[in-house]
Amino acid sequence: METPTASPAAGIEAADDAPWLTAEEQRLWRAHLDVCKLLEYQLGRELQPHGLAMNDYEILVVLSEEPHRRMRMTDLAAATLQSKSRLSHQITRMEKAGLVVREGCPGDRRGLYAVLTDDGWQTLRKVAPDHVRSVRHHFIDRFDSDQIAALYEALGPVAAHLRALRGRG
Amino acid sequence: METPTASPAAGIEAADDAPWLTAEEQRLWRAHLDVCKLLEYQLGRELQPHGLAMNDYEILVVLSEEPHRRMRMTDLAAATLQSKSRLSHQITRMEKAGLVVREGCPGDRRGLYAVLTDDGWQTLRKVAPDHVRSVRHHFIDRFDSDQIAALYEALGPVAAHLRALRGRG
DNA sequence: CCGATAATGTTGAAGTTTGTACAAAGAGTG
DNA sequence: CACTCTTTGTACAAACTTCAACATTATCGG
């Protein structure tokens, strides 16, 4: 039922500079992997009745928080940690669904904005409360406030480290 | 640079039973999402030179830990949290790559074992130290031992909760 | 101003994942 | 035993992601 991934597996030798994970380390690592996969699965599942996938939802949120509910494709790709190519396809699909539109960019004739449509906004408005309920029920509300602080203190720097790596590569 | 997903976004009302995330809750939630995405990206990237994807690696590990380096398809799908369909495709690819083979199941003529080949075992042997180094460098070694304990105490139950949900649906 | 270089996005093909339907074999029941 | 119900794994088609190539426009140096 667990999800191994960096295991000793009797018969294989670790590198000198990177010993196998201890039992405690390993169970944490596996818990993290499981939570990642399962949470995405579950949240996606609960979003499905609304006809949205996690990717769609994330984009709606990001756009909704921007000044004019719009963002340059490249920035949106960066904000959502996707490749430009993937985002382009994604936006094409969402455009077909009427959630966003592409609009040319005044100052830069190469650029495009992805813009939230009214329909997109209404959809978000309708879906957000349910999604927040999911996030609370399956994640946030399972921690007390000390844990919330401790988790952020631990995970925040990891996220920052990885974000920095991604930039260059 | 962050990855919103359950945000208030001025102008949308929360449900009565599920208020918006507080600032602390939200930054944790976003950190978690970012770590999930970025870590998978980075680990996958560092696995690439070995010609493996995370999925491949995970399957090698799971099989390597089994008594005869084999597991029934259904069990393997459950262990790796994939659909049976997806696993079937995955094993087909890995079989082509020579990492595993399918073997019939003596007691149950419907069943098949996915079996680690010698090549698969050697590959794991070669790749594992590097992967563990990655996991340490980008995740485990960024916490002190108190944090490791605290994180597991927090995440373990969440994983258990989500696993239980998955079973039924 | 021109030419080289870089940035913005898209495209199309190939590869992966998902969802549903299906064939084959076991299990339980009268 | 026959009948139904369940379990196992695959196969196909549709949806999604990745990768590399490309067209277009901006930017920088002489």
Side-chain angles (χ1 to χ4, degrees):
Chain A
M1 271 305 180
E2 304 233 312
T3 306
T5 288
S7 160
I12 307 187
E13 300 223 3
D16 289 348
D17 62 330
W20 295 133
L21 304 187
T22 65
E24 289 74 27
E25 289 167 344
Q26 186 150 164
R27 68 184 191 179
L28 167 58
W29 175 233
R30 293 182 179 192
H32 171 77
L33 287 176
D34 282 6
V35 169
C36 289
K37 274 198 200 179
L38 290 167
L39 201 46
E40 166 144 26
Y41 174 80
Q42 188 64 30
L43 293 180
R45 191 183 173 73
E46 292 174 15
L47 223 38
Q48 216 158 1
H50 294 289
L52 294 181
M54 288 280 278
N55 280 339
D56 302 319
Y57 184 82
E58 184 179 10
I59 286 174
L60 294 184
V61 170
V62 172
L63 291 181
S64 78
E65 291 175 336
E66 286 301 299
H68 295 286
R69 294 182 189 167
R70 72 186 51 215
M71 195 183 255
R72 287 289 292 269
M73 292 297 280
T74 296
D75 298 334
L76 187 51
T80 56
L81 303 172
Q82 305 179 43
S83 69
K84 286 190 291 184
S85 171
R86 178 176 171 180
L87 179 68
S88 185
H89 288 296
Q90 172 84 33
I91 292 294
T92 298
R93 289 189 296 268
M94 292 180 74
E95 205 168 11
K96 272 179 194 151
L99 298 169
V100 300
V101 288
R102 278 181 243 244
E103 279 185 20
C105 180
D108 184 343
R109 268 187 298 185
R110 296 167 301 180
L112 289 176
Y113 281 109
V115 186
L116 201 53
T117 61
D118 211 63
D119 236 56
W121 172 258
Q122 295 304 332
T123 298
L124 179 58
R125 199 181 163 91
K126 188 186 57 176
V127 173
D130 280 358
H131 183 65
V132 173
R133 187 180 295 109
S134 297
V135 171
R136 283 203 171 283
H137 180 59
H138 299 304
F139 191 72
I140 291 291
D141 288 350
R142 292 180 182 274
F143 311 124
D144 61 37
S145 66
D146 285 349
Q147 286 179 313
I148 297 210
L151 283 170
Y152 179 73
E153 207 172 312
L155 293 181
V158 175
H161 158 75
L162 291 167
R163 246 182 258 122
L165 278 187
R166 181 174 179 72
R168 325 159 213 130
Chain B
M1 271 306 181
E2 304 234 312
T3 307
T5 288
S7 162
I12 308 188
E13 300 221 4
D16 289 348
D17 62 329
W20 295 132
L21 303 187
T22 66
E24 290 74 26
E25 289 166 344
Q26 186 150 165
R27 68 184 191 179
L28 167 58
W29 175 232
R30 293 183 178 190
H32 171 78
L33 288 176
D34 283 5
V35 169
C36 288
K37 274 198 200 178
L38 291 166
L39 200 46
E40 167 145 24
Y41 174 80
Q42 188 64 31
L43 293 180
R45 194 183 170 72
E46 292 174 14
L47 223 37
Q48 216 158 1
H50 295 289
L52 293 182
M54 287 280 276
N55 280 337
D56 302 320
Y57 184 81
E58 184 180 9
I59 286 173
L60 294 184
V61 171
V62 172
L63 290 181
S64 78
E65 291 175 336
E66 286 302 298
H68 295 286
R69 294 182 189 167
R70 70 187 51 215
M71 195 184 255
R72 286 288 293 266
M73 292 296 280
T74 296
D75 298 334
L76 186 51
T80 56
L81 303 172
Q82 305 180 39
S83 69
K84 285 189 294 183
S85 173
R86 176 175 170 182
L87 179 68
S88 187
H89 288 296
Q90 172 83 34
I91 292 296
T92 298
R93 289 189 295 268
M94 292 180 74
E95 205 168 9
K96 272 178 196 153
L99 299 169
V100 301
V101 288
R102 278 182 244 245
E103 279 185 20
C105 180
D108 183 343
R109 268 184 297 182
R110 297 167 299 181
L112 289 176
Y113 281 109
V115 185
L116 200 54
T117 61
D118 210 64
D119 236 55
W121 172 257
Q122 294 305 330
T123 297
L124 179 59
R125 198 182 164 93
K126 186 186 59 179
V127 173
D130 280 357
H131 183 65
V132 172
R133 187 181 295 109
S134 296
V135 171
R136 283 201 171 284
H137 180 60
H138 300 303
F139 192 72
I140 291 292
D141 288 350
R142 294 181 180 273
F143 310 124
D144 62 36
S145 65
D146 285 348
Q147 287 180 312
I148 297 210
L151 284 170
Y152 178 73
E153 207 172 314
L155 293 180
V158 175
H161 158 74
L162 292 168
R163 247 181 257 123
L165 278 186
R166 181 174 178 74
R168 325 159 211 128

